[in-house]
Amino acid sequence: MQSRESCSSIWRNKMKRRYRRGGGAWHIVFLLPSLLGVSLFLVFPFGDVVRRSFTTAMTGEFCGLDNYINVFQNQAFLLAAQNTLKFVGVCLPLLLTGSLLIALAMEKLPFLEHAKACYLLPQAMPAATVVLVWRLVFEKQGFLNGIMGTGIDFMEGGASFGVLVGTYLWKNMGYTVVLWFAALKTVPTEVLEAARVDGAGRIRCFVHVTLPSLRGAAYTITLLSLLNTFKVFREAYLINGAYPPREIYLLQHVFSNWYTKLDLDKMAAGAVLTALVLGSGAFLMERKLGIASGKRKERGK
Amino acid sequence: MLFTKYRNCLMKSKRMLAAVLAGCMFAACLAGCGESGKDAEVTGTQSQNAGEPSSEVPGQASAMGRYVETELSYGEDCNMGQGKQILPWEGGLYLADTMGAGVRADLTAGTLSDAGEICPEVLRNRYEEDDYLTDMAVAENGARMYVVFARTDQEGEYNYEKYYLSPDGTETPWETVSKENSVSIFYGRDGYFYLTNSWESSNTMVYRVNSENGETEFLFEADGKVRYLARCGNCLLLDMGDALKIYSLDTRQEMEEDQCLSDLLSGSLGQSNGNISYVYQMYPGEEDSLYVVTKKGLYRHVLYGSVAEQLIDASLCSLSDNSWFVDMHVDMTAEEMPVFYLLYDDERLMKFAYDASVPSVPEDMITVYSLYEDQNIQMVISAYRVQNPQVYVRYEIGISGDDGVTREDALKNLATALAAGEGPDVLLLDDLPYHSYADKGVLLDLSTMFEELQKEYDYFDNIINAMRRDGALYTIPLGFTVPVLMGDTESLSKIQNTEDMVSAFREASVPKGATKVGLVDEQTVLQTLMFHYGSKFTGENGSIDREAVTGFLELAKQIYEIDRENLTQEEIEEHDRIWNRWYELEMGSSMRSNQMFYMSKSADTAVMAANMYGNSFAIGVLGGCIRNGFNTLYAYLDCRKLDYMPFPGEGKAALPMTMFGINAASNASEHAQEFVRFALGDWQGQDEMYWTTPINRDALIGMEENPFKEEDGSPSYKPYVWMSNVMKNEDGSIGADSAIEIKWCTPEVYEAYNQMLDSIDTVSGCEYMLRDTVLEEGAKALTGEQSIEESVNAIERKLQLYLAE
């Protein structure tokens, strides 16, 4: 009992010291507006979504886990979740490795590094324009079929998945390359030089020096790329509308359609499940990449 | 010491500054989250009614005083012809029609009676001789000017004879403009008739005729064609279609533009219905002022003033409905505020009088929502406003066509409003995901309300019961239409099922270049047949019934091919070109609604086209008014000895139209129910709906009653309207235009019609997603782009996700 009291007094003293060191209550006052904003527009609405996931859509009656059971039994949701996971599973490795390799190759070419604005150009292109061009290229009567002399409708069936992956990679590759450029600049040159002096080749330097140094940045880049995979819905929606081919029917499609049909209960349950999966993924990634690199840094100090 | 003091002082001021900054940020944050205000809320919606009161919100009224409208009722056997003008007459009003007769209004009693005695003998004689007057105007002293469309000595040739009729009844030909050309006549309410002649050249000659002595004066030549003319002070206001021009009567020269007046009339100029009725009217007020009525409201404006004062808000009365304005009269002798009289093209005469005891805006409000514009509901709202001035009815259209709102956007907007508990009170469920709304508890069960209505009226229970869902009644339609097949009596009598129908189509002989059924293109074939067979596409568990869809596409393909077999490729292409142009350009997005498609496929239009093109059969939808709809259809059928029948096959289907649903979470549920009761009850007996048969059987029977009587009081079956009829000759050439007589049908004809309506046992009309998918993929099967099986697979694949959700 005594030890518990002494522990809490130590903690209180620690907090007091931190409080004084940090300039009193002012930092809390300055934090308040953004905290209010986040609470108002994120925390409270999400709390409401969690509440709604246990109630009926319009009458608001408590229904226990019915909505979650309905969602797990819903074939459309299961298909969308499967497609979304597949899309993330294909796109993320392709984007991260592809962009890193490009960044490494370009790093040594200073004139290309100055053309960063060009890398970001796809990001600046309006989705509607991209979709129009994609249609001209990939439709049954499009350029691609004209060149190949085939009659494949790339916008339908399995090929549409490839088109969507291509769209994602095209749009995000340049942006991710720029992020890798910035990350590569943080690799300590003295350590690299020391490794080279010790006889390490280019590959050994990359594996044992560069890659470990990029782990912190990799966490951020992976997280941003993961979030960007959800933004590809705009293109998918503009190409095929609310009901695209089965292969590119994503979670956003099902949420959007549920909303139109006022299936707010299922939508809330689905959103909570998605948030849980995403949150867990981000947490695990942070443990593996972010915190690990932080610890490494501390150990280094 | 000094340093410590200075440091403390600095720290203190920094803290103060920090406190102030934090306070400001906090206040800004709170301000940003505040309510946007009711004004923004009102203007931010897609209300059909412009000019809503912005300062005062319906339901929260505080100020008192508003114009209240009343409709003057017609007496027995009192009918108005083609209305033209309202004039003050012997303490009351005289509503003149273009034939020179009309009705007179007793303003004390608020009734309208026949004004036969006002009509001069000269005009009575002309009426008896079946002379046709194309235009006429009357002055307060009884003088008239009119145009007679008269037959010449040459066979089939006509000319326009213009006359001035003096106050003492002497008719004098007015020959300033040659007989080959007509004129438009306006009365300036200053003792002068103003005549415009746009026929001889692209410009317009404007003349003035003194009503006292008939003296004519040429005023000026206006640049362009004049659609409407009004006087204000010493100026003439001319609607040139794209601009309002003002001419001085003193200098006879064009004056500068009145910007405020032009803005007020923007969008209204040039819109006239045969130069008889308009979407606006102007009336000269005191000195240089004038009263202007538009679809947004009634305004007072002083010429070249910078403001237009709104006296009546159109969204609170009948001004915003579909009717056109024939004429306006302003009684400026009233003590406080002028009294307005408005004559509509549907013969209604409305009186607008200021009442200081009613709130400036109604205390109660209900919102009616439809995805697409619905003309029937506009008529209901207009009538309801007149009878219930204390309730403000707001009409919201999801896809107005004026903006880029898509179907998905509109549905999401509606879902947001419903989820937030601020949804519309009355929902028109046509083209909305009605089943989903019913399952979610959005809609109120109307069973109790309907039981109450049944105590007063007889309804088509067969149709209403077919709309029940698990015993509950979430929607009641305002009316319905029935898809029918028309053809010669003998052929129809042999049709028992779809195979017989296809055989009959195949065996039919038609003139060269004619189609068998008159559908021709794949979209029309599918959509027309879908109205009958569409209800069978989904099975009991909600999945796609492959067999039903396959059977439907096979039937559609057979009909499509039979229909075209007599046409050359050029004729098909010409038809497709005309149809596609009309479909895409004229109808636009609103074509997606069932109601608009029906307009193009009404049975009378279909059989008229069948006569013209020589088709053996015609397919159309039967519904709408009796006087101008069913009787017309029957006359066109009768002239070729044709008959009609419901589609063969299992079940007799009707398509419900203007489906009412009430929001279960509505705060104004009582008013919403009252509104629906009004629409399904009293109102149905008064007005005839667009392309829709009333769900109220009593109303239909009332409409079927013959209003025309012989002298002995027995029903008259003499023709009451003549319509043009063109028939195709056997050699494929188009025959001469002849007149067809529209008569009131005999009770036996109506009896057969009513029996057919009673035999309906199912409601058609599938969900929009199903309809659009079948249309898209089915069309490919019809044109041969893919096989029927491939189309069915594609439909199933596309709808799998929709149904799985």
Side-chain angles (χ1 to χ4, degrees), chain B residues 133-372:
Chain B
L133 273 65
T134 58
D135 201 2
M136 198 209 59
V138 196
E140 291 90 346
N141 60 10
R144 292 164 192 256
M145 285 208 71
Y146 44 88
V147 182
V148 180
F149 186 58
R151 195 175 275 122
T152 63
D153 299 335
Q154 299 285 322
E155 179 71 24
E157 282 190 16
Y158 295 85
N159 61 23
Y160 299 93
E161 293 171 0
K162 281 99 36 192
Y163 295 96
Y164 161 74
L165 189 74
S166 66
D168 61 8
T170 313
E171 190 182 65
T172 318
W174 187 81
E175 292 172 334
T176 309
V177 172
S178 65
K179 285 186 177 181
E180 288 79 39
N181 299 307
S182 183
V183 290
S184 295
I185 311 170
F186 302 89
Y187 181 59
R189 302 175 202 279
D190 57 349
Y192 288 95
F193 296 109
Y194 293 89
L195 288 82
T196 62
N197 169 32
S198 308
W199 294 69
E200 286 178 16
S201 70
S202 56
N203 290 346
T204 303
M205 310 292 173
V206 183
Y207 303 90
R208 178 160 77 171
V209 177
N210 191 326
S211 67
E212 285 295 333
N213 50 29
E215 266 181 26
T216 302
E217 194 181 354
F218 171 72
L219 293 177
F220 52 83
E221 183 176 350
D223 188 12
K225 289 191 185 299
V226 174
R227 266 74 168 197
Y228 176 86
L229 180 149
R231 183 193 60 84
C232 174
N234 220 18
C235 295
L236 281 188
L237 311 174
L238 272 59
D239 174 355
M240 309 304 290
D242 54 352
L244 185 80
K245 289 190 175 176
I246 304 173
Y247 282 82
S248 165
L249 282 170
D250 295 330
T251 62
R252 315 280 167 93
Q253 297 293 316
E254 187 182 341
M255 296 166 73
E256 62 180 295
E257 186 188 6
D258 181 333
Q259 193 58 52
C260 179
L261 188 58
S262 295
D263 291 345
L264 189 65
L265 292 172
S266 67
S268 305
L269 293 174
Q271 292 194 43
S272 75
N273 186 8
N275 281 6
I276 293 292
S277 49
Y278 302 82
V279 292
Y280 72 98
Q281 284 286 332
M282 292 191 273
Y283 189 94
E286 312 86 355
E287 296 177 355
D288 279 346
S289 71
L290 80 158
Y291 295 94
V292 183
V293 64
T294 71
K295 287 286 157 193
K296 292 179 182 175
L298 198 149
Y299 303 83
R300 183 180 178 277
H301 173 70
V302 176
L303 210 57
Y304 293 108
S306 57
V307 289
E309 178 194 1
Q310 190 183 56
L311 301 175
I312 302 174
D313 181 353
S315 66
L316 300 176
C317 57
S318 65
L319 294 181
S320 62
D321 69 18
N322 298 330
S323 312
W324 298 68
F325 305 125
V326 170
D327 197 20
M328 171 166 66
H329 173 71
V330 185
D331 180 3
M332 285 175 276
T333 58
E335 279 180 12
E336 284 181 0
M337 301 282 275
V339 178
F340 301 96
Y341 295 91
L342 261 170
L343 179 62
Y344 289 102
D345 64 344
D346 57 10
E347 300 178 20
R348 282 176 300 150
L349 179 68
M350 308 301 293
K351 176 185 176 185
F352 296 82
Y354 190 79
D355 188 341
S357 64
V358 297
S360 55
V361 286
E363 288 169 345
D364 301 308
M365 179 172 94
I366 57 167
T367 307
V368 179
Y369 178 93
S370 70
L371 192 62
Y372 297 98

Side-chain angles (χ1 to χ4, degrees), chain B residues 527-559:
Chain B
Q527 199 154 355
T528 309
L529 295 177
M530 208 186 290
F531 289 134
H532 185 78
Y533 300 104
S535 59
K536 300 174 185 74
F537 289 169
T538 45
E540 278 181 12
N541 59 354
S543 61
I544 292 288
D545 186 337
R546 276 187 69 91
E547 209 179 313
V549 178
T550 308
F552 170 77
L553 289 182
E554 281 169 356
L555 176 69
K557 193 171 171 67
Q558 286 182 65
I559 293 175

